[in-house]
Amino acid sequence: MSYRPFLGLVPLAPVDHLILPDLRQAIADFLFLPVKILPTRPLPPQTHHPGRNQYYSTQLLDYLLNDEHGEDPFRILGITAADLYIPIFTFVFGEAQLDGKAAIISTFRPGAGAGEVKPSRSLLLSRLIKLSLHELGHTFGLPHCRQDGCLMGFAANLEKLDQKKTGLCKYCLILLDDYFQSLQDL
Ligand SMILES: [Zn+2]
Ligand SMILES: [Zn+2]
């Protein structure tokens, strides 16, 4: 049986499962890659910071990579309702390994967990799609981009996130094409 690369979406409980099928579809359509929703895994308690009441996203990336399920996704995207942090920031929407395998996003802030106006379902979904594609873009080697509205732009807050388009600028598209081309040449 030949191996067909797929992207694994890994829910880290607790997470809103209702949003997953639409998110899965949007990622698959954008990247032209099959995306599978893999079994839900618990959030490891050792990645929780009691003082911040947040989870350390870099440690969660390691956790996502250590999975004995036997499936071998080309990329792994974790999704959790927990608020995430890395030590130098008060929070992060997500994190990814640059040109690596694992990425993670949180639905906490996009879903107004920090006290903003509750988004409609379509706005929430649009935010999660942008965050997913942004973090996955990093795993495909794309750095942050300063082109207006580009998906790879750094968004420090929800307002900035909502201003981004769900698309890459022409430069990032070329970089992404080159990246996939280089994989085929291997
Ligand atoms: Zn980024
Ligand atoms: Zn760009």
Side-chain angles (χ1 to χ4, degrees):
M1 217 171 78
S2 70
Y3 172 77
R4 234 190 128 211
F6 70 96
L7 198 144
L9 196 56
V10 180
L12 295 174
V15 72
D16 172 11
H17 280 265
L18 295 177
I19 208 95
L20 294 181
D22 285 345
L23 183 61
R24 188 201 69 76
Q25 190 64 50
I27 298 170
D29 290 350
F30 191 90
L31 293 172
F32 301 105
L33 265 177
V35 182
K36 280 192 207 174
I37 298 174
L38 298 178
T40 301
R41 298 176 65 187
L43 267 176
Q46 66 273 21
T47 64
H48 182 250
H49 189 297
R52 289 172 165 261
N53 195 22
Q54 290 172 311
Y55 286 80
Y56 191 175
S57 57
T58 314
Q59 291 176 346
L60 288 172
L61 293 179
D62 288 337
Y63 172 73
L64 285 166
L65 288 169
N66 288 317
D67 186 9
E68 293 102 36
H69 273 96
E71 299 226 42
D72 187 22
F74 167 61
R75 288 293 186 277
I76 303 168
L77 177 68
I79 175 166
T80 178
D83 198 21
L84 302 177
Y85 80 97
I86 57 175
I88 56 165
F89 289 120
T90 47
F91 76 92
V92 289
F93 286 131
E95 188 185 344
Q97 298 175 313
L98 190 66
D99 195 11
K101 187 169 174 178
I104 186 166
I105 64 158
S106 161
T107 66
F108 182 81
R109 309 233 166 206
E116 301 86 350
V117 182
K118 201 100 186 131
S120 66
R121 189 182 185 281
S122 66
L123 178 57
L124 174 62
L125 183 63
S126 143
R127 287 172 175 172
L128 299 181
I129 293 168
K130 288 178 189 175
L131 290 176
S132 299
L133 295 173
H134 176 97
E135 297 306 341
L136 288 167
H138 285 316
T139 71
F140 301 132
L142 299 186
H144 281 152
C145 172
R146 303 181 88 156
Q147 292 294 312
D148 223 17
C150 177
L151 203 45
M152 290 314 295
F154 174 73
N157 54 45
L158 285 179
E159 196 188 340
K160 288 269 161 35
L161 180 64
D162 291 340
Q163 285 165 2
K164 285 205 269 188
K165 295 179 215 127
T166 310
L168 296 169
C169 73
K170 58 182 179 183
Y171 306 104
C172 288
L173 268 179
I174 292 170
L175 288 176
L176 188 66
D177 271 354
D178 285 352
Y179 187 85
F180 279 101
Q181 196 62 50
S182 71
L183 292 180
Q184 280 168 18
D185 293 344
L186 288 179

